[in-house]
Every structure is written in structure tokens, then in C-alpha cells.
Amino acid sequence: MIPLSGEVANSKGIVDEKIESYSIKRGTSTLKRGLAHMLKNGVVMDVTTVEQAQIAEDAGAVSVMVLDKLPSDVRKAGGVARTASIRIIQEIMDSITIPVMAKCRIGHVYEAKVLQETDVDMIDESEVLTPADELHHIWKWDFTTPFVNGARSLGEALRRIEEGAAMIRTKGEPGTGNVAEAVTHIKNVNDELRRIKSIYDSGDEQELIRMARDLRVSYELVEGTASLGRLPVVNFAAGGISTPADAAYLMTLGCDGIFVGSGIFKAEDAKERAQAIVLATTFWEDPDKVKEAQKMIDERQSMLGLDTKNLELKMQERGSTA
């Protein structure tokens, strides 16, 4: 069963269509969140070319995320990072059979509209790109295409869900090859989930109302989340994942799957590393399988990586926290 906590009924994104004698409804929460559920226990890979997308599909990725530049290149290039070329997105869609996602800038409603018209399977309102609106995220209930958003805490995750996100990813710190921030963020979310779950189980409704105020979301969404003991949407880990062991570790922390970008295609053994990370994500409960996945890669061929403590630009902090 797909939890529908925080759903907005009769949103603009729900479309009724008639194909021959059949009536079809698109854009419902069940469909949007259902796509994310189909990706559980899998790996979504950032790609910039058709060749990379084909490597990802051959390695067993459940989806690809199309960008103009990988996060590590965005970090080096500076300037303004925007959504990927529509031509490249369409070429990738034509070349592979797995779902294709693409990123838009935070708050950039029209980039999202263009991606929806391109028929991508999911839109990522992403801090990797330069935010277009520092105060507001997109009101995602107006879109038929599902959205994924980043979060560093339970409050951020629930606010994005209240705006219509069908999937959450912990932000981590993209383009660094350093998994530390992703670990911190999923642990933050887990700690806060345990707290509201314990309050719910104790029957202290007044304290749960206070928590809803602190988290700046509706009481109904907090209550629904607390009753589940987890987010009502799928939650993937992202940011800095570059080895099979990184992926397996985040799965042990309760993540539903993995987003990986620069860690694969900035390494010298991209094909083997992609396969190894998929293997470790799939068999994360079996240390022997993860060991075999780890043997498939050579640390000397990994991306160099960055110490997140010394970064001038922290992508995880971009965009509104409201």
C-alpha cells in the first residue's frame, strides 16, 4: 500500500483523458508515488551523454538522471548551472528503456514545465543547479509529472512533500566523492522520525501539535508520518557516494535506494564501478556480496574527492529551507 499522507485532492496536476472507450486519470499521488516505489532498492545514475546512459542501463540502474554537467564539473565550472539540453534528454530517452529523470532549478516553474512537455518520467528540483528562487520551491501539485526533492532533515523533507514531492533524496554534498554528509542527513531524518513516532505512540497529541509547528508543516502530515514511522514517500540517499561500500552502508541506515553521479563517471573504471554499486545496493544485507562488489573496483581509479569541511560552495545549503 502506498501511503498518501499530505495528499492534496483534486490538484491541478491530475488530468482526465479518454483513450477510445477507456477513461484514464494521470497525475494522482498514487501514480506519482507509485513510480518512486517501483525504483526502490535500486540505483539512479547521473548521466550527461547517451553513452553514459547506456552504461548505466547495462549496469542495472533503475533510472538515469540527465544533466548538462556532472555535479563535480558544476562545482569546478562555477557560473550558472541550468537544466540540461532538451535535445540530449530526448536522445537519451530514445536510446534506453529505463525511466529518465532530469533536473530543473529550484523555484524555476517554467524549466519544470518544459521538462514535463518533454515527457521525462520524473523532475528533480535540484540544488545542484543554480536556484532561480531563493524563497520558494515549485508548487508541485500543479504538475502531472512526479517530482523528487532533496532534504537534510525531517522538516525539509515534509515541507517538500507538502508541496507535492513524490520522492525525497537526502542531499549529501554532490560532486565531492565524500559520503559523510549523506550519512549525516539520513541519520538526522531517522532521529527525528523516531522522536515523532515515540510521541505518537504515547498518545500525546498536544506535543505532536507542537512538533508540527516546529517542523512548519500541517499536523495531519506529521500525524500520518508518525503513524508510519517513516516518510510517506520513497527516500533515496544522494551526494558523495562513490564506492559499493558507501551504497551498502546507506542502505543499512534505512534508505530505499541510491542516487550516484560523479562517483561513477569521474572514476577511471566507470563501467565496473556502476555494476559494483548496483550489486552492493541490491545485496546490501550480504557483506560477502558487497565484498565481491568492492573487489570489482580499484581505489586508485576513484575520483580524488573533496573534504566537505573546506568547501567554499556547499550545494546542500542552496535554495529555501522554508
Side-chain angles (χ1 to χ4, degrees), residues 265-278:
F265 292 110
K266 283 301 170 182
E268 295 176 19
D269 55 354
K271 187 174 182 179
E272 294 78 11
R273 193 169 295 262
Q275 293 171 344
I277 289 177
V278 169

Side-chain angles (χ1 to χ4, degrees), residues 21 35 41 50 56 84 90 113 133 147 151 156 222 258 270 277 282 299-300 316:
S21 60
L35 172 60
N41 300 309
V50 168
Q90 290 177 327
K113 285 184 177 181
D133 190 331
F147 275 73
E156 283 189 15
V222 173
I258 302 294
I277 289 177
T282 304
E299 183 56 28
R300 293 169 296 182
Q316 61 181 277

Side-chain angles (χ1 to χ4, degrees), residues 167-192:
M167 183 179 187
I168 294 293
R169 52 171 175 73
T170 51
K171 286 185 176 181
E173 189 55 45
T176 62
N178 188 337
V179 78
E181 298 295 319
V183 171
T184 297
H185 296 161
I186 190 60
K187 286 188 172 182
N188 286 345
V189 171
N190 288 342
D191 287 346
E192 292 167 309

Side-chain angles (χ1 to χ4, degrees), residues 80-294:
V80 177
R82 308 174 185 88
T83 196
S85 163
I86 298 302
R87 179 180 58 80
I88 295 295
I89 294 172
Q90 290 177 327
E91 287 178 0
I92 289 173
M93 290 170 64
D94 290 340
S95 71
I96 60 175
T97 60
I98 57 178
V100 174
M101 305 181 185
K103 293 182 183 291
C104 72
R105 285 177 274 180
I106 291 174
H108 203 311
V109 175
Y110 228 95
E111 274 190 351
K113 285 184 177 181
V114 168
L115 291 175
Q116 178 166 267
E117 289 299 312
T118 308
D119 286 331
V120 297
D121 294 289
M122 188 173 282
I123 300 168
D124 184 352
E125 187 182 13
S126 177
E127 67 283 351
V128 170
L129 308 185
T130 308
D133 190 331
E134 296 287 351
L135 297 178
H136 305 95
H137 282 72
I138 295 168
W139 186 250
K140 290 159 275 287
W141 295 111
D142 288 345
F143 288 79
T144 304
T145 304
F147 275 73
V148 55
N149 273 92
R152 295 173 295 169
S153 65
L154 179 61
E156 283 189 15
L158 293 181
R159 290 192 289 277
R160 302 294 81 82
I161 292 167
E162 200 162 56
E163 294 164 355
M167 183 179 187
I168 294 293
R169 52 171 175 73
T170 51
K171 286 185 176 181
E173 189 55 45
T176 62
N178 188 337
V179 78
E181 298 295 319
V183 171
T184 297
H185 296 161
I186 190 60
K187 286 188 172 182
N188 286 345
V189 171
N190 288 342
D191 287 346
E192 292 167 309
L193 282 169
R194 280 190 288 268
R195 184 178 178 191
I196 65 168
K197 175 66 172 171
S198 66
I199 294 170
Y200 176 84
D201 289 344
S202 72
D204 191 342
E205 188 174 346
Q206 186 175 10
E207 181 63 12
L208 205 59
I209 291 171
R210 191 186 70 80
M211 284 298 301
R213 290 171 181 161
D214 288 347
L215 294 169
R216 291 178 286 162
V217 291
S218 68
Y219 172 77
E220 290 74 19
L221 181 54
V222 173
E223 182 185 40
T225 303
S227 68
L228 292 169
R230 58 153 296 147
L231 292 178
V233 302
V234 167
N235 182 25
F236 273 39
I241 299 158
S242 58
T243 71
D246 287 346
Y249 179 37
L250 285 160
M251 293 296 287
T252 69
L253 296 178
C255 296
D256 294 311
I258 302 294
F259 278 89
V260 62
S262 306
I264 288 179
F265 292 110
K266 283 301 170 182
E268 295 176 19
D269 55 354
K271 187 174 182 179
E272 294 78 11
R273 193 169 295 262
Q275 293 171 344
I277 289 177
V278 169
L279 181 65
T281 303
T282 304
F283 297 102
W284 62 270
E285 293 177 288
D286 185 342
D288 188 56
K289 290 275 192 187
V290 177
K291 180 197 76 174
E292 291 303 313
Q294 198 76 15

